[in-house]
């Protein structure tokens, strides 16, 4: 069993085809990354205009999470976190609902009951995160348990950050998954800063992927700014799990390009770090790759960009029209009724 | 996004625990066009410094908070108006900047924001109601919570505890039973639920004593008052103000909010100011003539009547210029005077519902026509119930007309916190001594009107009031129609 | 009908549900090969296989979190905490994730967590607690505390059917001590409905779990038929209507639980009675509970800790004489 393996970057379009994506798929990935960034940039503006209550978190620098979502099958499920907006977008969550969620309106996936990225559309195989990270890992493992019991060829993907890895939930989830060889993939968004705490104060080893050995499975370190490499490794891990090969720990290395949240200007991050990683911007890297390896033309690029812009402008308008929740509904839904179990999942 | 209505720019909350922000720099000035999302200003909070983008396209119509100011999250900082909107010259400040303003505001506009008269509620300083006669005195007996009688139980328990539990109290009241009549087997001889139930079952000899008897017995009780217990006569918990019962021949109706407001203000005003009234008789013949002449012109050209009130208001405002204390106010130990007059005038509401006093702001800038129009508009709005809070606040002097029904004298109540109120009365034709062209005394028929000035003697002395009335009269009697 | 112990009734209910519905599975420490620390699942793994009777690693977080995820995917998991006391290790999963998922994300979490609770056999501080009040405070959870074998069976079946996370507190001191007739067939008992364990007219005792028997004994010693015992059966949501109805009849209330006094669930009941039945009270509402200390180990200390028949009797007498 390999200890932490370093994944290579993707070279040519041919390699990509072998990994399962054609040119149209690639353009779609690019579009989704642009959409993800566009949503978060617009969110910044909305927040400073006072339209978003509470706090606002982004995953700038982690747009390659689109790669993981692209590698998931339609019936797979995931528990993305606040740096993984790309996963929501790639799975098909409509941007207007995301804006509505940010603004606490009724048409957000949580109908105003929870804020920022604490949302998920269960019909798209997504499960809403909580603030106590990484409490969703045991839950992802539980989903995989269900698949295993029922012998379904489905996979659960659980996300966590390098900071969250310090908590027992990570260990307990991975241990259980390893012991039972459950079909789950653990994705670590290692963006090197947990709020103001750098990695060397979160863990004492060189990387986190190496911990996989302790749980009996493989760990892989990937360049988290290379969406194609992320895709390829995620695909490998997910298919392995699907075929009964057990879990994988995928550590995607990137840099959190903004503060922990909008109120944090990340003064503690050395300027050089920002400068260095800015050169590795995931979207920019992919765009350059597409131009060189997939003949992305100016026209195509322009069309994609303006398409995203239009999409988001429409989404904003639509979200603004969504009403505020009615206080009279405050106590609704604290408890589930038997009818609530009529979702496809629960049957 | 494009705006059709004005958009507010507010101080954003830069983080869950942040409660305020400071404006460090305005990037645009008033009147400058702005585009949606374009940075408008820079702010600093204790978490982060950032820019605030414009919420929409348009023109930065008005900046409400200056650089260097620190305000709470959510405070309105500026207004973005749609393209083509005129800069707001006369808009009052929505939010007050941190209070460093002097008691005497420099500009008329700022002053217009200073203290309201009586808190927003309609006030009527008419003569009629100065003597408040209570309609009826509520009967107290049925609502007073009297302590339960300290009746010694028949088995003579040692510590004489007389506590009545809630359930026993309720049962006793439901059946009009005097707990004192029931023998108690509970601790300390208290009457238990069992005891009172047994008592009720025991039959008809249970004396149905009238509840009113209880207070009398309480008066004779010797034991110390028991711990708080609802009275046997007491009903279930009552709202705080006991409702009086109507005696024979009486009808009861609750006071409206307006009436309550009037009652409160009247009382407070009399308790605050030292009310003194001086009266003067004014020969209004000249004004009557001018008024007749102007009527048609005013009606056809301007659609308003040149009312007596307009004439009197005009002259009063002129005269107040020379008697600023009559337009003044006592604040603590300071005397406040102004170079403007916000003139309140009483309007009677339909159906005798009460009076309201709309305020004509900056009346010193109005001529006779302006006064007539201003009064007419405000009066109409008052009758249509379309007055805004701003319309009834900020008055500095009031004119009221108790003489509408023919009375010739009165003593109105001052509208706090003003220092004076002018009362006008019926214009009546009287025989009057005048001088003919030779200087001899003759009797003529003159249109006479009384005026009263009720003033706060803490600030305005009789001599001052007298001189004010003298000058006011002079102006009315020598009205120069060419100069007004 | 058959005579069953409290423990056998629980097994019976669980086995029946697993036979009936493939989505039901059991997971906990030592529940498979060993049959469970208290042998509730003895024979289950042989019948249902290792993937429906799962020996989990020593990780309450993985157990409860795992159940949550599996429930979201359509299973009906039944977790066993080896002792109720260990639920604190899974507090986060229960309170942060399971309790709130329906409200904020529209996703029901139909899990059941079985919790062997209670003391009386020198279990010491970590094997004897009654933690129901902490969870009765969390909107989104339900808490069930059966006292009789018949209720134990019906309530467990209802708990498994319920689309919400249900904490099922089985009092281990009752496991083998109580044996009664229990119907053979499948039946449910609605959550949130109390049961009148004993009828009377003068004093209402509100209680649940093992204390039902303590109250019963005290009432019989009092001997005058005056005591009415209301067995809540469900602590969250509790049957306020039944309690208030009884209090209106008797006008005297005594709330009894084995959990410690301050902030124990009895406080909620007492406050509600005072608030909503004030005018029906002929005496102050009394509470009898364990004192505010960890559960002690030595039998002498534990006896002074857990409310005994004498304690309840004294309380009843006090109310009678008030």
């Amino acid at each position: 069993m390999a200890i932490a393996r370093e994944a290579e970057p993707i070279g040519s379009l041919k390699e990509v085809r072998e990994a399962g994506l054609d040119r149209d798929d690639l353009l779609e990935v690019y579009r989704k990354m642009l959409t993800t960034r566009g949503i978060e940039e617009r969110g910044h503006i909305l927040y400073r205009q006072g339209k978003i209550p509470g706090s606002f978190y982004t995953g700038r620098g982690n747009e390659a999470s689109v790669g993981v979502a692209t590698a998931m099958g339609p019936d797979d499920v995931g528990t993305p976190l606040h740096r993984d907006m790309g996963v929501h977008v790639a799975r098909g969550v409509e941007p207007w609902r995301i804006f509505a969620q940010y603004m606490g309106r009724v048409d957000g996936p949580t109908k105003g009951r929870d804020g920022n990225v604490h949302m998920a559309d269960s019909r798209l195989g997504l499960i809403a995160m909580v603030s106590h990270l990484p409490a969703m890992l045991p839950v992802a493992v539980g989903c995989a348990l269900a698949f295993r019991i029922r012998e379904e060829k489905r996979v659960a993907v659980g996300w966590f950050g390098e900071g969250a890895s310090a908590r027992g939930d990570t260990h307990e989830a991975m241990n259980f998954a390893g012991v039972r060889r459950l079909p789950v993939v653990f994705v670590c968004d290692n963006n090197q800063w947990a709020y103001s705490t750098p990695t060397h104060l979160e863990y004492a080893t060189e990387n986190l992927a190496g911990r996989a050995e302790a749980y009996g499975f493989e760990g892989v370190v990937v360049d988290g700014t290379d969406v194609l490499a992320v895709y390829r490794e995620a695909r490998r891990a997910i298919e392995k799990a699907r075929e009964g090969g057990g879990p994988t720990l995928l550590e995607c290395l990137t840099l959190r390009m903004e503060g922990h949240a909008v109120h944090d200007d990340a003064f503690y991050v050395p300027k050089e770090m920002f400068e260095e990683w800015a050169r590795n911007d995931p979207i920019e890297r992919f765009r350059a790759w597409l131009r060189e390896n997939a003949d992305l033309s100016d026209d195509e690029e322009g069309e994609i960009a303006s398409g995203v812009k239009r999409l988001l402008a429409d989404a904003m308008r639509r979200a603004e029209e969504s009403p505020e929740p009615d206080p009279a509904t405050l106590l609704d839904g604290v408890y589930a009724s038997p009818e609530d179990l009529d979702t496809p999942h629960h049957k | 996004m494009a705006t059709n209505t004005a958009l507010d720019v507010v101080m954003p909350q830069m983080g869950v625990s942040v409660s305020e922000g400071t404006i460090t720099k305005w990037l645009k000035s008033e009147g400058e066009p702005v585009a949606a999302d374009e940075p408008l200003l820079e702010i600093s909070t204790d978490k982060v410094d950032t820019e605030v983008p414009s919420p929409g396209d348009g023109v930065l119509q008005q900046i409400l908070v200056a650089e260097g100011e620190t305000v709470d999250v959510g405070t309105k900082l500026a207004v973005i108006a749609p393209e083509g909107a005129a800069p707001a010259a006369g808009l009052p400040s929505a939010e007050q900047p941190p209070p460093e303003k002097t008691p005497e505001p420099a500009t008329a506009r700022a002053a217009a924001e200073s203290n309201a008269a009586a808190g927003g509620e309609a006030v009527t300083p008419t003569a009629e109601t100065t003597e408040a006669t209570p309609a009826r005195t509520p009967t107290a007996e049925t609502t007073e919570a009297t302590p339960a009688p300290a009746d010694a139980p028949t088995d003579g328990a040692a510590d004489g505890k007389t506590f009545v539990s809630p359930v026993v109290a309720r049962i006793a009241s439901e059946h009009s039973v005097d707990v004192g009549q029931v023998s108690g087997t509970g601790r300390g001889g208290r009457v238990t639920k069992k005891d009172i139930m047994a008592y009720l079952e025991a039959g008809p000899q249970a004396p149905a004593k009238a509840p009113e008897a209880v207070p009398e017995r309480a008066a004779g009780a010797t034991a110390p008052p028991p711990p708080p217990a609802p009275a046997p006569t007491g009903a279930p918990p009552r709202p705080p103000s006991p409702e009086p019962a109507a005696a024979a021949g009486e009808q009861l109706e609750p006071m409206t909010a307006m009436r309550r407001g009037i009652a409160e203000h009247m009382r407070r005003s009399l308790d605050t100011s030292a009310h003194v009234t001086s009266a003067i008789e004014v020969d209004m013949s000249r004004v009557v003539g001018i008024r007749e002449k102007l009527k048609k012109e005013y009606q056809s050209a301007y659609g308003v009547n040149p009312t007596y009130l307009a004439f009197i208001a005009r002259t009063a405002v002129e005269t107040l210029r020379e008697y600023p204390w009559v337009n003044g106010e006592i604040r603590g130990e300071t005397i406040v005077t102004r170079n403007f007059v916000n003139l309140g005038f009483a309007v009677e509401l339909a159906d005798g519902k009460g009076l309201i006093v709309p305020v004509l702001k900056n009346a010193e800038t109005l001529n006779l026509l302006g006064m007539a129009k201003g009064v007419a508009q405000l009066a109409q709005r008052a009758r249509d119930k379309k007055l805004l809070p701003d319309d009834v606040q900020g008055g500095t002097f009031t004119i009221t007309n108790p003489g509408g029904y023919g009375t010739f004298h009165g003593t109105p109540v001052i509208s706090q916190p003003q220092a004076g109120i002018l009362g006008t009365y019926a214009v009546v034709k009287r025989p009057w001594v005048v001088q003919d062209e030779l200087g001899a005394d003759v009797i003529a028929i003159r249109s006479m009107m009384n005026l009263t000035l009720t003033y706060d003697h803490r600030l305005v002395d009789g001599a001052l009031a007298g001189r004010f009335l003298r000058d006011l009269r002079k102006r009315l009697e020598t009205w120069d129609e060419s100069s007004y | 009908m058959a005579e069953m112990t409290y423990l056998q009734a629980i097994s019976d209910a669980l086995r029946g549900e697993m036979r009936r519905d493939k989505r039901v599975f059991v997971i906990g420490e030592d529940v498979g090969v060993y049959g469970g620390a208290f042998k509730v699942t003895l024979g289950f793994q042989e019948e249902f296989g290792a993937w429906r009777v799962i020996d989990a690693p020593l990780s309450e977080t993985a157990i409860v979190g795992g159940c949550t995820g599996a429930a979201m995917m359509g299973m009906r998991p039944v977790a066993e905490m080896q002792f109720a006391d260990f639920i604190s290790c899974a507090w986060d999963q229960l309170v942060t994730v399971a309790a709130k998922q329906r409200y904020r994300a529209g996703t029901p979490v139909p899990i059941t967590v079985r919790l062997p609770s209670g003391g009386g056999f020198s279990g010491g501080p970590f094997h004897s607690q009654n933690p129901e009040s902490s969870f009765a405070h969390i909107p989104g959870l339900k808490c069930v505390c059966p006292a009789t074998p018949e209720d134990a069976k019906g309530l467990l079946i209802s708990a498994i059917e319920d689309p919400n996370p249900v904490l099922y507190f089985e009092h281990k001191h009752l496991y083998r001590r109580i044996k009664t007739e229990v119907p053979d067939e499948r039946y449910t008992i609605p959550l949130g409905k109390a049961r009148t364990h004993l009828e009377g007219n003068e004093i209402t005792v509100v209680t649940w779990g093992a204390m039902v028997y303590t109250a019963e004994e005290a009432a019989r010693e009092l001997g005058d038929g005056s005591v009415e015992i209301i067995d809540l059966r469900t602590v969250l949501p509790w049957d306020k209507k039944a309690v208030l109805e009884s209090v209106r009849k008797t006008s005297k209330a005594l709330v009894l639980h084995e959990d410690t006094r301050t902030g124990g669930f009895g406080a909620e009941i007492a406050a509600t009675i005072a608030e909503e039945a004030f005018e029906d009270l002929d005496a102050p509402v009394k509470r009898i509970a364990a004192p505010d200390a960890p559960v002690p180990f030595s039998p002498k200390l534990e006896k002074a800790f857990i409310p005994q028949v004498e304690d309840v009797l004294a309380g009843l007498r006090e109310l009678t004489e008030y």
Side-chain angles (χ1 to χ4, degrees):
Chain A
M1 162 148 9
I3 312 174
R5 167 172 64 81
E6 292 240 1
E8 296 97 42
I10 289 222
S12 64
L13 193 52
K14 177 166 170 290
E15 264 181 71
V16 171
R17 280 221 188 82
E18 278 161 16
L21 293 178
D22 62 26
R23 190 177 183 275
D24 283 338
D25 294 330
L26 292 175
L27 293 183
E28 190 53 30
V29 167
Y30 179 63
R31 185 179 290 113
K32 295 210 159 94
M33 291 171 83
L34 277 183
T35 305
T36 301
R37 178 153 303 170
I39 289 172
E40 292 188 331
E41 283 179 342
R42 186 138 275 282
H44 266 301
I45 292 174
L46 285 175
Y47 188 82
R48 283 178 289 135
Q49 287 173 339
K51 292 184 180 163
I52 294 182
S55 38
F56 179 65
Y57 294 77
T58 67
R60 191 183 182 95
N62 200 45
E63 289 82 2
S65 57
V66 170
V68 178
T70 306
M72 290 167 69
D75 292 324
D76 294 340
V77 302
T79 62
L81 298 179
H82 46 301
R83 310 296 181 203
D84 307 306
M85 177 59 71
V87 173
H88 290 276
V89 170
R91 292 291 285 184
V93 180
E94 297 168 284
W96 79 275
R97 285 207 186 273
I98 297 173
F99 288 130
Q101 164 77 5
Y102 283 154
M103 297 192 290
R105 307 290 180 93
V106 151
D107 288 299
T110 69
K111 302 184 172 53
R113 269 91 178 279
D114 204 344
N116 57 78
V117 199
H118 287 196
M119 64 173 185
D121 192 333
S122 59
R123 293 164 302 179
L124 298 172
L126 298 172
I127 295 176
M129 65 176 280
V130 298
S131 296
H132 300 54
L133 305 173
M136 301 317 285
L137 284 189
V139 176
V141 170
C143 297
L145 179 66
F147 301 152
R148 175 64 187 81
I149 293 173
R150 298 195 298 239
E151 293 176 353
E152 291 171 350
K153 288 212 177 293
R154 297 164 71 184
V155 176
V157 182
W159 273 264
F160 66 109
E162 85 286 353
S165 74
R167 264 195 78 208
D169 285 11
T170 318
H171 165 80
E172 296 184 64
M174 289 192 187
N175 183 57
F176 188 30
V179 161
R180 292 293 186 156
R181 244 170 127 78
L182 296 176
V184 58
V185 175
F186 298 100
V187 180
C188 178
D189 293 331
N190 188 337
N191 60 20
Q192 305 186 63
W193 292 90
Y195 211 142
S196 69
T197 312
T199 53
H200 73 267
L201 293 181
E202 292 286 3
Y203 53 91
T205 51
E206 192 182 315
N207 56 50
L208 286 171
R211 286 188 182 169
E213 189 192 3
Y215 302 116
F217 48 86
E218 187 189 41
V220 184
V221 177
V222 192
D223 179 351
T225 64
D226 180 345
V227 66
L228 291 180
V230 168
Y231 166 77
R232 191 191 60 221
E233 294 308 320
R235 186 85 201 265
R236 228 177 250 174
I238 288 171
E239 291 316 310
K240 177 176 179 183
R242 202 186 303 290
E243 297 312 316
T248 304
L249 169 48
L250 202 60
E251 182 178 357
C252 301
L253 198 57
T254 177
L255 180 69
R256 194 192 71 204
M257 295 305 287
E258 288 174 335
H260 171 66
V262 74
H263 59 259
D264 171 34
D265 63 6
F267 65 87
Y268 42 80
V269 178
K271 292 285 170 291
E272 306 79 61
M273 245 183 136
F274 277 132
E275 280 157 22
E276 183 196 331
W277 285 83
R279 291 195 279 275
N280 292 342
D281 178 76
I283 293 179
E284 193 38 48
R285 278 192 71 171
F286 191 40
R287 192 188 73 86
W289 188 93
L290 285 171
R291 287 191 79 93
E292 187 171 320
N293 292 284
D295 300 320
L296 178 66
S297 68
D298 282 339
D299 282 347
E300 271 178 313
E301 206 190 306
E303 208 188 302
I304 293 176
S306 56
V308 167
K309 209 160 165 223
R310 251 196 323 276
L311 170 70
L312 295 181
D314 288 341
M316 254 318 300
R317 260 194 294 279
R318 197 166 166 198
E320 292 255 49
E321 285 162 18
S322 177
E324 306 255 0
D326 179 2
T329 62
L330 176 69
L331 292 178
D332 293 351
V334 174
Y335 287 99
S337 64
E339 293 72 44
D340 288 332
L341 292 175
D342 273 342
T343 70
H345 288 309
H346 289 82
K347 290 210 211 289
Chain B
M1 37 205 73
T3 58
N4 293 317
T5 56
L7 288 174
D8 292 338
V9 180
V10 296
M11 176 64 73
Q13 179 171 31
M14 299 305 298
V16 177
S17 57
V18 173
S19 60
E20 55 184 28
T22 306
I23 299 184
T24 46
K25 190 166 169 184
W26 279 101
L27 300 168
K28 294 271 181 186
S29 357
E30 272 185 8
E32 242 188 285
V34 299
D37 301 340
E38 202 186 337
L40 269 183
L41 69 150
E42 289 171 1
I43 59 169
S44 169
T45 70
D46 48 33
K47 279 211 143 90
V48 70
D49 292 351
T50 188
E51 289 174 347
V52 177
S54 170
D57 294 320
V59 167
L60 179 54
Q61 186 181 62
Q62 193 182 17
I63 290 178
L64 297 166
V65 181
E67 284 177 4
E69 303 281 5
T70 300
V71 295
D72 287 344
V73 165
T75 304
K76 201 156 81 163
L77 304 177
V79 181
I80 308 286
E83 292 278 1
L91 280 177
S93 308
E95 317 287 338
Q96 296 286 21
E100 291 117 355
K101 57 182 181 121
T102 59
E104 199 158 1
T107 65
R109 194 203 314 162
E113 302 321 303
S114 65
N115 313 348
E121 187 65 69
V123 168
T124 166
T126 54
E128 275 99 36
T129 55
T130 45
E131 260 211 301
T133 41
R136 41 192 69 85
T137 344
T139 50
E141 299 149 60
T142 49
T143 58
E144 259 167 31
T146 52
D151 213 12
T154 51
D155 62 3
D159 67 4
K161 182 169 171 175
T162 55
F163 169 69
V164 177
S165 73
V167 71
V168 170
R170 179 172 59 75
I171 294 172
S173 100
E174 280 166 3
H175 295 89
S176 304
V177 168
D178 171 5
V179 178
Q181 293 291 301
V182 183
S183 70
T185 63
R187 183 167 307 164
R190 89 175 173 100
V191 175
T192 66
K193 178 183 176 188
K194 234 179 174 165
D195 295 336
I196 194 166
M197 295 306 294
Y199 178 89
L200 286 174
E201 273 153 43
Q205 73 266 25
K209 271 247 166 88
E212 284 81 12
V214 172
E216 290 160 33
R217 312 196 86 234
T222 51
T233 61
R238 285 283 121 205
S241 45
E243 279 158 31
E250 294 178 344
Q251 293 81 35
L252 303 183
E253 66 183 280
M255 279 173 108
T256 62
M258 177 174 280
R259 182 53 50 195
R260 284 205 300 274
I262 293 171
E264 188 271 332
H265 186 82
M266 290 301 139
R267 186 66 265 155
R268 185 161 45 86
S269 184
L270 290 178
D271 287 343
T272 305
S273 301
H275 280 64
V276 177
T277 300
S278 291
I280 200 167
E281 299 160 301
V282 179
D283 184 347
M284 289 288 277
S285 309
R286 199 175 157 74
V287 168
V288 169
I290 294 170
R291 183 169 171 268
E292 272 309 309
K293 273 203 268 180
L294 291 177
K295 242 187 192 170
K296 220 195 267 154
E297 178 197 333
Y298 269 42
Q299 280 287 6
S300 58
Y302 311 113
V304 285
N305 257 332
T307 56
Y308 286 122
L309 176 57
F311 283 89
I312 293 163
R314 185 73 197 97
T315 43
V317 167
E318 276 278 300
T319 315
L320 282 173
R321 248 198 211 143
E322 283 145 30
Y323 295 90
W325 280 16
V326 182
N327 187 44
E329 179 185 329
I330 293 181
R331 257 179 233 162
E333 311 253 294
T334 313
I335 298 170
V336 181
T337 51
R338 300 118 174 169
N339 47 14
F340 62 92
V341 178
N342 288 345
L343 189 64
F345 57 95
V347 173
E348 187 180 346
L349 294 174
D351 312 325
K353 286 219 160 77
L355 283 194
I356 198 159
V357 186
V359 174
L360 200 51
K361 299 268 167 66
N362 294 111
E364 80 283 0
T365 62
L366 300 171
N367 59 11
L368 180 69
L369 174 61
M371 204 68 84
K373 274 167 102 172
V375 166
Q377 275 166 14
L378 273 176
Q380 190 55 45
R381 285 231 294 279
R383 283 186 206 104
D384 293 342
K385 296 197 172 66
K386 286 202 164 93
L387 288 178
L388 304 167
D390 214 37
D391 291 330
V392 294
Q393 287 176 11
T396 60
F397 186 77
T398 304
I399 299 181
T400 179
N401 180 30
Y405 299 98
T407 49
F408 66 86
H409 186 66
T411 54
V413 176
I414 292 169
S415 180
Q416 295 300 325
Q418 297 167 24
I421 177 168
L422 189 69
T424 67
Y425 302 87
V427 177
V428 178
K429 291 207 180 100
R430 286 197 205 288
W432 202 247
V433 175
V434 298
Q435 278 71 49
D436 65 11
E437 53 281 1
L438 297 175
D441 286 341
V442 292
I443 301 260
I445 309 293
R446 308 296 283 183
S447 294
M448 297 302 297
M449 181 185 73
N450 281 6
L451 284 180
T452 54
L453 179 71
T454 305
Y455 52 94
D456 185 346
H457 208 308
R458 295 179 300 155
L459 179 58
V460 176
D461 296 335
L464 192 75
R467 289 201 293 278
F468 172 85
L469 285 171
R470 174 201 63 193
D471 292 357
L472 179 60
R473 171 169 72 178
K474 180 127 188 249
R475 284 192 163 88
L476 282 168
E477 289 181 348
T478 61
W479 184 285
D480 178 357
E481 61 181 295
S482 65
S483 68
Y484 282 104
Chain C
M1 276 291 205
E3 261 220 333
M4 285 190 211
T5 62
Y6 183 86
L7 186 147
Q8 284 166 337
I10 295 171
S11 288
D12 190 52
L14 194 47
R15 190 185 297 106
E17 290 311 282
M18 288 185 73
R19 284 177 181 163
R20 188 174 176 270
D21 186 345
K22 279 213 319 281
R23 302 171 300 179
V24 179
F25 71 92
V26 166
I27 178 172
E29 290 150 23
D30 308 298
V31 296
V33 170
Y34 194 71
F38 298 99
K39 305 297 182 188
V40 172
T41 53
L42 192 58
F44 276 50
Q45 198 173 68
E46 285 83 350
E47 182 175 344
F48 301 106
W51 279 104
R52 286 188 71 199
V53 186
I54 302 176
D55 277 325
L58 202 160
S59 168
E60 284 71 21
T61 292
I63 292 169
V64 176
C67 285
T68 302
M72 289 185 192
M73 293 297 111
M75 306 299 282
R76 300 288 189 268
V78 180
E80 178 178 301
M81 294 289 105
Q82 196 153 86
F83 284 87
D85 312 55
F86 299 127
I87 193 62
S88 53
C89 302
W91 199 92
D92 203 21
Q93 284 296 323
L94 261 183
V95 170
T96 301
V97 187
K100 299 179 169 54
Q101 209 67 3
R102 167 57 183 90
Y103 182 75
R104 55 181 204 106
T107 308
V109 179
I111 63 174
T112 305
V113 182
R114 289 178 38 238
L115 299 136
S117 58
F121 41 81
S122 275
F126 309 114
H127 287 62
S128 319
Q129 292 173 84
N130 292 281
E132 71 272 5
S133 77
S134 323
F135 299 99
H137 182 61
I138 308 296
L141 297 180
K142 296 193 179 179
C143 298
V144 167
C145 303
T148 66
E150 187 175 340
D151 285 347
K153 176 169 172 175
L155 283 173
L156 182 55
I157 294 172
S158 295
I160 294 172
E161 266 188 7
D162 197 295
N164 294 283
V166 180
L167 299 174
Y168 180 92
F169 294 88
E170 36 193 73
H171 202 294
K172 36 196 192 307
H173 204 45
L174 300 178
Y175 272 158
R176 294 177 171 84
R177 276 197 311 139
I178 310 294
K179 195 170 188 176
T180 61
E181 292 279 325
V182 175
D184 294 322
E185 70 275 13
R186 181 186 191 264
Y187 59 94
T188 57
I189 289 180
L191 301 193
K193 282 242 148 308
R195 178 185 64 91
T196 306
H197 184 75
L198 190 66
E199 272 191 34
N201 284 313
E202 309 286 334
I203 299 179
T204 299
V205 174
V206 184
T207 186
W208 57 90
M211 288 291 110
V212 169
Y213 299 97
T214 309
E216 187 184 17
E217 220 181 297
R220 293 204 197 289
E221 272 200 42
L222 195 61
D224 57 7
S226 62
V227 177
E228 175 151 291
I229 299 178
I230 304 289
D231 174 6
L232 276 190
R233 301 198 293 188
T234 306
V235 163
L236 179 74
W238 63 286
D239 196 345
K240 189 168 81 158
K241 188 156 170 283
V243 169
L244 292 178
E245 222 170 80
S246 174
V247 171
R248 285 193 185 109
K249 180 173 72 166
T250 64
S251 291
K252 290 181 180 175
L254 187 152
V255 184
L256 167 68
H257 57 62
E258 193 181 305
D259 189 13
T260 54
R261 174 174 245 272
T262 299
F265 200 69
E268 175 67 28
I269 299 172
T272 306
I273 293 174
E275 197 173 353
E276 300 192 28
F278 180 70
E279 289 174 23
D280 291 296
L281 289 175
D282 200 26
V285 180
K286 247 197 115 41
R287 275 184 303 163
I288 294 182
D292 295 326
V295 187
F297 160 73
S298 134
K300 189 133 188 237
L301 287 180
E302 197 183 23
K303 194 147 184 277
F305 175 87
I306 294 181
Q308 303 293 308
V309 174
E310 306 85 77
D311 301 315
V312 181
L313 188 54
L316 291 174
R317 286 214 170 99
E318 207 184 301
L319 279 178
T320 306
E321 287 157 9
Y322 187 82

